Amino acid sequence: MNWEINMLNTTALNISQARFNTAFATETHLRHHGAGLCALLDALDDQSGFAAFCDLQAAFGKPVPDFTAVQIALCEIHRVLAEQTQSSLDRIGHERNLPASDMTRWHGARVSELLARFRNAD
């Protein structure tokens, strides 16, 4: 019986460590690329992406990031990026002198990679 309890505790610790590592990877990514993602989300027509970015930043404002809040914010950012039309990105690129189409593809791919890590951490 003790072995079963230890096995459960070890599994729980492994999951907790995996979640922490995933949140840390997201925070590290945002330290390097967050300004570009923020600028892009601010320029898009759907302001829920920018709000999700703010929620994401707030989740990292705690001593231990809220894994679920980080994942939910990333999912919302991914949704907003995926729903952008080429015509909208072209217009934003022209109006703001911003490579919106390229930025959307690049940030969308990075957010997808981070979300895959979240799925693997569970």
Side-chain angles (χ1 to χ4, degrees):
M1 185 71 161
N2 266 347
W3 180 80
E4 290 176 7
I5 291 171
N6 285 336
M7 182 68 163
L8 291 174
N9 288 339
T10 301
T11 301
L13 286 175
N14 289 341
I15 291 171
S16 293
Q17 185 64 48
R19 287 177 167 211
F20 177 81
N21 291 346
T22 301
F24 181 74
T26 302
E27 185 176 24
T28 300
H29 175 80
L30 289 177
R31 257 188 264 125
H32 293 102
H33 305 287
L37 178 58
C38 181
L40 174 63
L41 292 170
D42 185 46
L44 299 178
D45 295 332
D46 186 342
Q47 287 300 299
S48 64
F50 185 78
F53 184 84
C54 293
D55 292 343
L56 187 58
Q57 294 294 339
F60 290 118
K62 301 175 183 177
V64 176
D66 182 343
F67 179 85
T68 303
V70 171
Q71 187 176 24
I72 289 169
L74 283 176
C75 284
E76 180 64 10
I77 290 169
H78 186 264
R79 180 197 65 77
V80 168
L81 293 176
E83 290 180 353
Q84 296 305 305
T85 64
Q86 189 59 50
S87 61
S88 173
L89 294 172
D90 289 344
R91 179 185 51 76
I92 291 166
H94 178 72
E95 289 174 359
R96 300 219 184 183
N97 195 26
L98 191 71
S101 185
D102 291 341
M103 290 175 73
T104 299
R105 280 193 299 275
W106 191 86
H107 285 292
R110 302 299 78 76
V111 170
S112 290
E113 291 167 356
L114 291 169
L115 285 172
R117 291 184 72 162
F118 274 84
R119 287 187 290 276
N120 293 331
D122 282 329

